[in-house]
Amino acid sequence: MKKLVLAAALAAAASTATAGNLAEPVVEAPVVVEETRSSSSGIWLPLILLVLVGAAVASS
């Protein structure tokens, strides 16, 4: 009877001691959402520069 109680106590202690594992936790990467720019927004700077150069040429 003592062996049965001792075996039960050791089994209970061993099960709680190995409750965790050594594997790395799986962490999902955060989702990054980038805003898209329309293609017409990149044309404004060259157009402004063209108007400024045209005005400089016309004034001289």
Side-chain angles (χ1 to χ4, degrees):
M1 186 69 173
K2 288 182 182 180
K3 289 183 181 181
L4 181 63
V5 172
L6 181 61
L10 289 176
S15 65
T16 57
T18 59
N21 59 2
L22 298 176
E24 292 291 326
V26 178
V27 179
E28 295 182 14
V31 178
V32 178
V33 178
E34 294 183 14
E35 295 182 18
T36 58
R37 295 176 50 189
S38 64
S39 61
S40 64
S41 65
I43 195 75
W44 286 109
L45 183 61
L47 285 178
I48 292 172
L49 290 174
L50 184 63
V51 168
L52 290 175
V53 170
V57 169
S59 67
S60 58

